[in-house]
Amino acid sequence: MARRPSLRQLEYLLAVAEHRHFGEAAKRTAVSQPTLSLQLQALEDSLETKLVERNRNNVTLTPSGAIVAERAREILLQIDDLIAAVRQEQDNLGGLIRLGTAPTIGPYALPLVVPLLGAEFPALRIYIREELPARLVTLVANGNLDLALVALPSHDENLVSFEVAKERLLIGMASNHKLARLKTIPPEKLAGQKFLTLGRGHRLYEDVGRLAARHGAEVLQDYEGTSLDALRQMVALNMGLSVFPEHYAASEIAADKSVVLRPLKGEQLTRTLGFVWRRSSVRADDYVKLATIARRGL
């Protein structure tokens, strides 16, 4: 039964077919002439047929040799195409990335990042999925997502974190709120204030809770927004204060006269944005490239 030839043996046969001379074929394939002759003999043995006719002046292919040489050329071209396709995918960060993001981050941060990625990697495709932060970490850890843009830290030892930006958090209030006339909010002015926040599972829920605990404010448990837009509407109705990320504020609140944003005086409220991916991922280099470009946009 015929055995499968190696790709290298096919290359030797094509070199002989092109040069019709063992010495020239050996030079072309960067091996010694005895090595080339032995490999051609092995190829003939594996296929159980004579491929070349040797004489003193030149080498000719047998009819079987001509058929094998033609098919070998097609096979090697397909292998070259395969390698080129893989390299093209590598040049485009693998060609496809499944990216997760939190709803309080992605819609407002990714528009600053995606155009940069598109300019750098034109063939890159990014599938984006929004989930709560805790769910995102699980999806990345179990392989359903390649990486996620989240608020750090991730608190998962199986994930690598790559920081890309520190985003300011601003205190939002209705334009007719008594604190709205101030340029910055003294921390002591928060005592007794009521804060609205997103529901549990959002990192902003935790951020607002810590802020309120530090300064004697109250988090209203009966009013948990499901989105930043819903939260903004409640703040505009003077139902309480809240905290809004800077990227969201620039995108959605800048033109909204019913809500004003103020920094906290003497205390920089921020959150750290970054990407997380599996520590065991073989595509870590691609993700570092992506995160580095994202850092420029954010």
Side-chain angles (χ1 to χ4, degrees), residues 281-294:
S281 176
V282 298
R283 299 178 66 189
D285 289 345
D286 289 341
Y287 303 152
V288 169
K289 291 178 184 177
L290 182 150
T292 301
I293 292 172

Side-chain angles (χ1 to χ4, degrees), residues 12-32:
Y12 293 146
L13 179 62
L14 282 180
V16 169
E18 178 182 352
H19 295 283
R20 304 290 173 157
H21 190 279
F22 276 94
E24 293 300 320
K27 290 179 183 178
R28 175 69 176 80
T29 53
V31 295
S32 67

Side-chain angles (χ1 to χ4, degrees), residues 1-13 39-49 51 68-69 71-72 75-76 79:
M1 180 178 177
R3 301 187 305 276
R4 288 179 178 175
S6 69
L7 295 178
R8 193 63 172 147
Q9 288 171 341
L10 297 180
E11 289 176 343
Y12 293 146
L13 179 62
Q39 287 299 312
L40 280 180
Q41 182 64 59
L43 177 60
E44 290 177 327
D45 292 344
S46 67
L47 295 178
E48 300 177 351
T49 188
L51 301 175
V68 173
R71 295 298 299 273
I75 291 169
L76 292 173
I79 294 296

Side-chain angles (χ1 to χ4, degrees), residues 83-101:
I83 293 171
V86 170
R87 285 177 177 169
Q88 183 180 23
E89 292 293 275
Q90 290 173 338
D91 290 341
N92 285 282
L93 302 185
L96 170 65
I97 286 180
R98 300 168 300 163
L99 172 65
T101 185

Side-chain angles (χ1 to χ4, degrees), residues 122-182:
L124 176 64
R125 295 167 293 152
I126 303 178
Y127 291 165
I128 299 172
R129 176 172 175 175
E130 288 187 9
E131 291 281 357
L132 293 179
R135 177 67 176 152
L136 285 173
V137 169
T138 299
L139 291 171
V140 172
N142 65 23
N144 287 312
L145 290 174
D146 297 316
L147 72 168
L149 177 60
V150 297
L152 299 177
S154 69
H155 302 300
D156 190 320
E157 294 181 354
N158 295 316
L159 301 183
V160 173
S161 299
F162 190 108
E163 179 181 332
V164 294
K166 284 194 179 296
E167 181 180 29
R168 286 199 307 163
L169 299 176
L170 301 168
I171 298 175
M173 64 207 72
S175 57
N176 60 351
H177 193 282
K178 63 181 181 179
L179 295 180
R181 59 184 176 82
L182 302 176

Side-chain angles (χ1 to χ4, degrees), residues 113-286:
V113 173
V114 170
L116 297 178
L117 292 172
E120 189 84 12
F121 306 106
L124 176 64
R125 295 167 293 152
I126 303 178
Y127 291 165
I128 299 172
R129 176 172 175 175
E130 288 187 9
E131 291 281 357
L132 293 179
R135 177 67 176 152
L136 285 173
V137 169
T138 299
L139 291 171
V140 172
N142 65 23
N144 287 312
L145 290 174
D146 297 316
L147 72 168
L149 177 60
V150 297
L152 299 177
S154 69
H155 302 300
D156 190 320
E157 294 181 354
N158 295 316
L159 301 183
V160 173
S161 299
F162 190 108
E163 179 181 332
V164 294
K166 284 194 179 296
E167 181 180 29
R168 286 199 307 163
L169 299 176
L170 301 168
I171 298 175
M173 64 207 72
S175 57
N176 60 351
H177 193 282
K178 63 181 181 179
L179 295 180
R181 59 184 176 82
L182 302 176
K183 296 299 182 184
T184 59
I185 307 300
E188 61 272 16
K189 294 290 187 180
L190 296 182
Q193 295 291 334
K194 293 177 170 51
F195 272 85
L196 300 160
T197 184
L198 295 176
R200 296 177 187 271
H202 291 278
R203 291 292 286 271
L204 279 177
Y205 175 89
E206 302 170 12
D207 293 333
V208 172
R210 285 191 293 266
L211 176 66
R214 282 199 307 273
H215 302 297
E218 177 188 358
V219 177
L220 297 177
Q221 302 296 336
D222 293 336
Y223 299 97
E224 292 185 348
T226 58
S227 70
L228 289 174
D229 285 341
L231 200 60
R232 174 165 58 94
Q233 296 302 322
M234 289 189 286
V235 168
L237 292 173
N238 218 346
M239 296 171 63
L241 308 181
S242 194
V243 170
F244 294 98
E246 189 172 25
H247 286 117
Y248 172 79
S251 173
E252 305 298 327
I253 301 183
D256 187 345
K257 303 303 182 183
S258 64
V259 174
V260 298
L261 300 169
R262 298 290 184 260
L264 189 62
K265 186 176 182 179
E267 182 178 339
Q268 185 79 330
L269 296 178
T270 63
R271 67 176 179 177
T272 301
L273 303 183
F275 290 91
V276 295
W277 59 81
R278 291 182 301 284
R279 192 174 298 278
S280 60
S281 176
V282 298
R283 299 178 66 189
D285 289 345
D286 289 341

